[in-house]
Amino acid sequence: MSEQSYGVEAAFRTTSGGVRGRGANDGVTAVLGIPYAAAPFGARRFREPQPAPAWGGVRDCTAFGPIAPQSAELPGAPVWRPRDEDILTVNVWVPERADGGALPVFFWIHGGAYTFGSSAQPDFDGTALARAGLVVVSCNYRVGFEGFGHVPGCPDNRGLLDQVAALCWVRENIAAFGGDPGNVTVAGHSAGGGSVVCLMAMEQTRGLFRRAIAHSVPNAFFTVELAVAVTERIAAEAGVAPTAEGLLSVSPEALVAASDKAAAHCGTDPVAAVHAFDPVIFQPVVDGEVLPADPLRMLASGTAREVDLLVCHTLEEYWFLHAVGAVREVTTEAELADFAEALHLPAHLVDGYGALVPDAPVLDRYLAIFGDAQFGEYTTRLAEHHARAGGRAYLARFARRRGEARPWHTADIPFAFGNLDAVGADFLIGGAPDDHDRALSRRMLRSWAGFAATGDPGWPAVTAGTTPVKSWAVPGDHLAADDTSGLRALWRDVRFDLLRPGQAAWHRSRGPSGA
């Protein structure tokens, strides 16, 4: 039972105890920093998440909880402090209900290269989505080595297991906040989008959500061998053996520092070939237990056909990563050839991009190829494979641009959340939003809300033979009945594979049915 008032305070009852949220904001109450699992440190470090301890009375939940160990400092968001341990928390935005009926639930997983980020980032505020008729939930989970580093004798993918625990919390508690535990949509962007499709592939999540939204899903999943190799690098930087005992002897802050050093050295000594160009050293591990296989193959097998899927990617993903200095610079034909050789890209693909945009600088061709390899093509194939396996899938692309702000990685998220005025959004969207931007934001937010409520975002689904695609743009959107672009044709015989030590995540298909 919930105990609600929409004035100065709102109190709710969870399985661990009562919680009190922040006063109503135009009919929306925010309940922040609710523990969904015990602090994952001490005897629980590198282990599966454990139940949150109960508390007496009513817990004050008017501020975001501590974030996971990391070195990033993001605009408007809290930083990690080494003594903060109670990092596994959820936040809930509760709209006022006119009829008292249960509302659809929207569960958000933040991105950040599986290495940084938190649910407290300003552009992830759930107020606007809640006003659209959703109970909105977001969560913190372990990132970096704490969440995704390989530790002998301990479970891989601890960050994913945290997300499963948060979804279990939703199933057990969301009715007290007015949400329908039988109508949950899990959503995320970048590493959050990768997490979403991993959750679709995992046995532990069956029945926990009905729909999924995944924006800019990265094509990056490690074999156990690569995860072991990354751990060996980090342990060497920390000066300990790559064993559970050795790694447990290193404090979380020292392990963050060692991980940063290992990533910095990838430019000259990559663990996998892709790390020489984009040094993200933490990814989900296909361990055969938590994550049985690459999500693309799992979706193609029909393992999640009962889950409706909406995917989206931006047209120029990697321009953002280049703008923030996250990827290696490639400006000459020789460097582009080195890039293609290191990643085992077929020659016809590189040549094809040159033919399609013959006047484009080398840097633009490099960023276009990299963006499609890492995000665009993989995200699109997820929708197509899911549809062919009997699932319902929808595809969108974000094409809005203004000046120097391209339709790049992350630019779509403030629009879909309705948070164009959030701290940091001006860089992503190229300045203050105008009327066209606000209209686009309303359209995208309605699409998310409609999909979460009914499974229909407002345009035709992908079929076994056609790929309709919605393009979000200003001043108006565009719907293509089928995606038959020349770029898609270039990728036809390129299959995606797992990342291994010294190898790329894609290569020329050896057969007609490459994923």
Side-chain angles (χ1 to χ4, degrees):
M1 294 289 292
S2 62
E3 304 165 6
Q4 302 181 35
S5 64
Y6 289 92
V8 177
E9 295 181 340
F12 306 84
R13 175 63 55 182
T14 76
T15 53
S16 296
V19 293
R20 179 182 297 109
R22 205 156 59 189
N25 180 5
D26 293 339
V28 176
T29 298
V31 192
L32 310 175
I34 310 169
Y36 67 83
F41 297 102
R44 292 183 289 269
R45 194 177 180 203
F46 303 146
R47 308 305 310 182
E48 301 90 342
Q50 299 299 311
W55 57 83
V58 178
R59 186 185 184 108
D60 182 74
C61 290
T62 56
F64 289 105
I67 70 174
Q70 59 189 271
S71 58
E73 297 184 11
L74 302 175
V79 298
W80 174 63
R81 297 173 300 183
R83 294 185 180 180
D84 289 339
E85 293 194 346
D86 202 5
I87 62 172
L88 301 183
T89 61
V90 292
N91 316 295
V92 187
W93 285 264
V94 185
E96 193 166 9
R97 292 165 292 159
D99 60 4
L103 297 174
V105 179
F106 182 92
F107 180 92
W108 178 252
I109 303 173
H110 71 79
Y114 301 101
T115 306
F116 60 89
S118 80
S119 61
Q121 292 169 231
D123 47 339
F124 302 154
D125 184 281
T127 301
L129 280 168
R131 288 194 192 116
L134 306 176
V135 174
V136 180
V137 183
S138 62
C139 75
N140 284 349
Y141 58 97
R142 282 172 283 183
V143 297
F145 197 94
E146 301 293 329
F148 293 93
H150 176 79
V151 180
C154 298
D156 287 315
N157 302 304
R158 295 175 296 278
L160 297 179
L161 293 175
D162 291 345
Q163 295 162 15
V164 174
L167 282 166
C168 289
W169 183 94
V170 168
R171 179 183 59 193
E172 296 164 2
N173 292 280
I174 206 63
F177 296 84
D180 180 357
N183 191 10
V184 176
T185 295
V186 62
H189 163 263
S190 195
S195 296
V196 166
V197 297
C198 286
L199 293 171
M200 292 178 71
M202 293 165 57
E203 282 298 322
Q204 299 95 316
T205 65
R206 297 294 172 253
L208 291 179
F209 56 91
R210 184 174 179 181
R211 301 185 179 96
I213 298 174
H215 280 229
S216 299
V217 182
N219 161 42
F221 303 93
F222 284 0
T223 62
V224 173
E225 292 77 13
L226 179 53
V228 169
V230 169
T231 288
E232 290 172 348
R233 293 285 185 93
I234 294 170
E237 293 288 353
V240 298
T243 62
E245 182 181 12
L247 294 163
L248 283 166
S249 72
V250 182
S251 67
E253 56 266 38
L255 208 46
V256 167
S259 300
D260 288 347
K261 290 178 182 177
H265 294 159
C266 279
T268 55
D269 187 17
V271 190
V274 68
H275 291 151
F277 298 89
D278 189 351
V280 177
I281 60 172
F282 297 112
Q283 308 285 359
V285 181
V286 177
D287 60 347
E289 297 180 11
V290 175
L291 185 59
D294 170 8
L296 186 62
R297 285 161 178 75
M298 294 298 292
L299 265 61
S301 74
T303 190
R305 64 168 60 93
E306 74 283 357
V307 176
D308 299 335
L309 176 63
L310 168 61
V311 300
C312 180
H313 69 89
T314 66
L315 288 184
E316 299 179 12
E317 296 272 3
Y318 256 64
W319 271 263
F320 171 77
L321 299 172
H322 175 260
V324 298
V327 296
R328 179 175 169 180
E329 187 95 352
V330 168
T331 58
T332 69
E333 296 290 351
E335 291 172 334
L336 184 62
D338 289 343
F339 163 74
E341 181 180 359
L343 275 60
H344 298 177
L345 294 173
H348 81 81
L349 188 142
V350 180
D351 293 342
Y353 274 76
L356 287 172
V357 285
D359 298 325
V362 171
L363 177 63
D364 285 10
R365 281 183 279 140
Y366 159 70
L367 294 174
I369 295 169
F370 215 168
D372 289 340
Q374 286 289 78
F375 295 109
E377 179 65 18
Y378 188 82
T379 300
T380 300
R381 287 195 196 184
L382 285 165
E384 293 175 334
H385 282 45
H386 191 56
R388 291 169 188 164
R392 186 162 60 167
Y394 299 87
L395 172 65
R397 295 190 178 123
F398 185 78
R400 179 264 187 197
R401 65 172 64 235
R402 179 203 287 175
E404 296 298 315
R406 297 171 177 264
W408 55 20
H409 194 66
T410 310
D412 48 337
I413 300 306
F415 283 89
F417 262 94
N419 290 333
L420 296 181
D421 299 305
V423 175
D426 55 342
F427 172 73
L428 294 174
I429 70 175
D434 59 21
D435 290 343
H436 288 306
D437 293 331
R438 296 193 187 281
L440 173 59
S441 178
R442 289 192 293 271
R443 296 195 300 273
M444 292 182 69
L445 190 150
R446 283 197 302 268
S447 172
W448 268 14
F451 180 78
T454 68
D456 183 2
W459 64 89
V462 177
T463 70
T466 60
T467 305
V469 56
K470 172 86 165 183
S471 291
W472 297 113
V474 293
D477 309 323
H478 174 70
L479 177 65
D482 194 15
D483 183 7
T484 57
S485 68
L487 287 179
R488 292 300 312 285
L490 292 175
W491 289 95
R492 187 171 294 121
D493 69 340
V494 179
R495 59 170 289 174
F496 294 93
D497 205 350
L498 303 179
L499 278 167
R500 293 176 169 82
Q503 297 185 10
W506 48 86
H507 54 77
R508 187 187 301 273
S509 175
R510 296 181 179 177
S513 59

